Amino acid sequence: MSAQPVPAVEPNVQRVLGPVDQIPFGEGRAFGVDGEQVAVFRLRDGSLRGVSGVCPHKGGPIADGTIDHNVVICPLHQHAFELATGCSTTGTKPLRSYRVFADEAGNIVLKWT
């Protein structure tokens, strides 16, 4: 499945979302970024992943979903999405994936591409 449309934001723009420590290991948090809901997950190995924050099936809060190293499961109807690509593993529309990383100061940075 193809990714969702990119919002009207200039490419290669970066947004600082706050300190990475606000997300416990193995959990996610939702952020409003330029009119989009983005779910950022801090995996148990400390790496970060970012996907659309709203499930395309019924609008579930993706940041509240259960994760492992590869997928997030929507808490409403258990649709699963790959954290790296946003692709659905259960047949629903995909999530958009975002490039997120921690900068030298320990902040979460989202880069629109």
Side-chain angles (χ1 to χ4, degrees):
M1 299 189 123
S2 63
Q4 291 185 350
V6 177
V9 175
E10 290 184 39
N12 299 316
V13 171
Q14 296 187 133
R15 297 286 186 253
V16 175
L17 305 182
V20 72
D21 290 341
Q22 69 183 308
I23 306 176
F25 289 99
E27 294 187 21
R29 293 291 181 268
F31 296 89
V33 184
D34 295 330
E36 298 287 321
Q37 280 289 323
V38 177
V40 177
F41 296 92
R42 188 178 185 193
L43 304 184
R44 296 206 181 272
D45 67 3
S47 61
L48 299 172
R49 301 287 185 275
V51 294
S52 303
V54 180
C55 182
H57 174 242
K58 294 282 184 178
I62 293 296
D64 294 341
T66 303
I67 64 167
D68 65 14
H69 196 74
N70 298 310
V71 300
V72 58
I73 300 172
C74 178
L76 292 186
H77 299 103
Q78 288 68 51
H79 284 286
F81 303 90
E82 294 177 0
L83 288 168
T85 65
C87 289
S88 172
T89 63
T90 54
T92 195
K93 293 179 182 177
L95 300 173
R96 179 166 181 223
S97 62
Y98 298 90
R99 182 168 182 252
V100 290
F101 59 93
D103 66 12
E104 308 81 37
N107 289 309
I108 303 163
V109 178
L110 179 141
K111 184 173 183 179
W112 295 107
T113 54

